[in-house]
Amino acid sequence: MNYNKKTVRDIDVKGKKVLLRCDFNVPMAKDGSGVITDDKRIRAALPTIQYLLDQNAAVIACSHMGKPKGEVVPSLSLKPVAKRLSELLGKEVIMADDVVGPDAKAKAAALKPGQIMLLENTRFEKGETKNDPELAKAMASMADVYVSDAFGAVHRAHASTAGVADYLPAVSGFLIQKELEIIGGALASPKRPLVAILGGSKVSSKIGVINNLLEIADTIIIGGGMAYTFSAAQGGKVGDSLLEADWMDYSKEMVEKAAAKGVKLLLPVDTVCADAFAPDAKSQVVKAGEIPDGWQGLDIGPETVKLYCDAVKDAGTVIWNGPMGVFEFPAFAKGTEAVAKALSETSAITIIGGGDSAAAVQQLGYAEKMTHISTGGGASLEFMEGKELPGVACLLDK
Ligand code: ADP
Ligand code: MG
């Protein structure tokens, strides 16, 4: 999937009313105090918002938050987002009490060029996740142009992410543009060799990614919990490690397919295994496929680290999805950290996709060293699977 979509620079937004779909689905403190614990997603939207305001557009921003399932859930109100956005912009953000109700409509109608308002949580409306055309039409009726910058939501065909594009000229903001350029570019015409590092917990959640990357990568590296299903499929002993018995045949096929295609597929040669799934578990390093009963693999071993770091050294592009071990436990984060460090030291284009992988790279302190960390967990996965992204497909072609 390679998209060549119009951006906010390709159409005239001067003085126009712009419906801007953002991803303001930020984490909030669990105590209901309305404190935003990480405002990264709000900051990420600033360049597009600032551009629109500089163009003297009247910006009607919208987003979902959480899963209110079509009901008004006060703890999922976007009011705290409006407050934070206002602080970041140094400018008033007018908050609507509803999505397409009388308050939103009145405020949108009164909105002046250079002003910004925020609609309430789009998922307070039942029609949002059903991509209801009536809701899409009502949202569109408030604006002249639709700009989408919510990469984290483009894999969903909802009223505010895709439906509205049926009623308004639709283009991307800078965030989506960057995701399309970097991830899309790496998938369509990668600087070679292209090395894909795949890990995380389960084979079953990464089948689409493995399938698609087998078609385009030069090397595939397997780590994380999914490696034990590959190991078991080859007759290895995996003890109590994460194992998806139903996917053993598939894993075998993937190894055979890689061999037939001349794709180098690397599997762990050793494992750090533990006597329990716990941060302070007793651990030992064993050869891959020789995990004793009662033990479970929680990280790749030191020989594997060497092998994998060596494999990315001369890469042109590295796509990484899925941590190499249970990085949430410091004792089992070494493999993930070593790979992150190796990526930070290559001259390759380095792309991190997947929510936990992005969190791992951030937590380990290598975020600044990567070419691109995708802002969309699920969306970046579906992109790497080669699936169509409805929230991108609906935008105008260049
Ligand atoms: P992403 O969100 O980047 O796509 P996943 O959700 O597929 O990644 O996987 C991330 C999770 O995989 C992490 O929570 C990590 O603890 C877990 N994981 C990695 N290795 C193992 C392992 N050996 N055993 C169990 N869980 C693992
Ligand atoms: Mg995940």
Side-chain angles (χ1 to χ4, degrees):
M1 202 59 60
N2 197 19
Y3 294 108
N4 191 15
K5 295 295 183 179
K6 283 194 177 169
T7 79
V8 74
R9 286 194 205 280
D10 297 318
I11 56 164
D12 183 15
V13 293
K14 280 192 198 74
K16 298 261 170 74
K17 283 206 168 121
V18 175
L19 179 66
L20 174 66
R21 178 53 156 100
C22 299
D23 180 8
F24 288 151
N25 185 27
V26 291
M28 306 281 289
K30 301 262 181 285
D31 60 4
S33 57
V35 172
I36 295 166
T37 53
D38 183 353
D39 66 0
K40 201 164 57 239
R41 287 181 170 167
I42 305 178
R43 289 174 186 277
L46 294 176
T48 300
I49 293 175
Q50 201 57 62
Y51 174 82
L52 290 170
L53 294 174
D54 290 347
Q55 294 289 309
N56 224 16
V59 179
I60 305 166
C62 68
S63 172
H64 76 283
M65 183 185 294
K67 291 182 175 157
K69 303 201 168 132
E71 306 293 332
V72 175
V73 177
S75 62
L76 294 175
S77 166
L78 286 180
K79 285 194 184 84
V81 171
K83 185 166 169 275
R84 184 72 192 119
L85 180 58
S86 165
E87 288 163 5
L88 290 168
L89 286 171
K91 179 180 190 74
E92 186 192 7
V93 175
I94 300 163
M95 184 68 209
D97 293 333
D98 43 31
V99 184
V100 287
D103 191 61
K105 284 192 173 145
K107 283 174 176 157
L111 199 69
K112 304 236 166 32
Q115 288 188 323
I116 175 165
M117 66 177 284
L118 178 60
L119 303 179
E120 252 308 355
N121 188 340
T122 51
R123 290 191 189 165
F124 284 180
E125 286 290 333
K126 285 196 173 56
E128 165 71 336
T129 56
K130 296 185 187 122
N131 195 5
D132 172 22
E134 289 309 313
L135 175 62
K137 211 190 271 179
M139 294 185 82
S141 72
M142 295 188 274
D144 310 307
V145 174
Y146 171 67
V147 176
S148 177
D149 217 15
F151 186 71
V154 290
H155 55 313
R156 302 195 173 102
H158 291 174
S160 72
T161 60
V164 285
D166 286 342
Y167 306 99
L168 290 174
V171 300
S172 82
F174 301 131
L175 206 58
I176 288 189
Q177 182 192 14
K178 188 175 173 215
E179 298 274 1
L180 297 183
E181 267 171 21
I182 299 184
I183 303 182
L187 295 172
S189 49
K191 189 164 171 251
R192 293 191 182 271
L194 168 62
V195 180
I197 308 175
L198 302 173
S201 48
K202 293 178 173 173
V203 177
S204 57
S205 65
K206 300 289 162 77
I207 310 153
V209 181
I210 302 175
N211 269 336
N212 194 38
L213 290 178
L214 251 179
E215 299 297 326
I216 45 187
D218 301 292
T219 301
I220 292 194
I221 292 175
I222 304 275
M226 70 158 86
Y228 305 105
T229 299
F230 279 83
S231 173
Q234 283 165 1
K237 281 177 59 189
V238 298
D240 291 342
S241 305
L242 206 62
L243 173 67
E244 290 180 288
D246 291 351
W247 292 98
M248 281 165 58
D249 286 345
Y250 171 83
S251 310
K252 229 182 193 161
E253 272 170 41
M254 286 304 109
V255 172
E256 285 158 13
K257 196 170 166 192
K261 285 182 153 304
V263 174
K264 213 191 277 172
L265 189 135
L266 301 179
L267 292 167
V269 293
D270 59 355
T271 286
V272 181
C273 59
D275 63 352
F277 187 84
D280 56 355
K282 205 158 42 146
S283 72
Q284 60 169 325
V285 176
V286 300
K287 277 195 186 145
E290 296 181 11
I291 300 177
D293 290 342
W295 292 70
Q296 53 187 295
L298 295 186
D299 197 5
I300 53 173
E303 288 304 317
T304 309
V305 163
K306 265 188 227 151
L307 181 73
Y308 289 4
C309 292
D310 209 45
V312 299
K313 225 178 242 153
D314 300 316
T317 308
V318 183
I319 295 181
W320 185 9
N321 170 249
M324 295 291 97
V326 182
F327 72 94
E328 295 92 336
F329 301 159
F332 305 101
K334 291 194 188 83
T336 303
E337 172 154 27
V339 168
K341 183 164 178 285
L343 292 202
S344 74
E345 288 165 356
T346 65
S347 53
I349 296 165
T350 49
I351 300 170
I352 317 297
D356 292 295
S357 309
V361 168
Q362 226 114 35
Q363 185 187 308
L364 296 167
Y366 290 94
E368 303 305 318
K369 297 277 175 61
M370 303 299 163
T371 308
H372 182 63
I373 298 181
S374 179
T375 54
S380 66
L381 273 193
E382 293 198 16
F383 203 2
M384 290 177 187
E385 288 175 17
K387 278 195 192 155
E388 174 165 290
L389 302 171
V392 174
C394 70
L395 306 177
L396 291 170
D397 287 315
K398 264 204 183 166

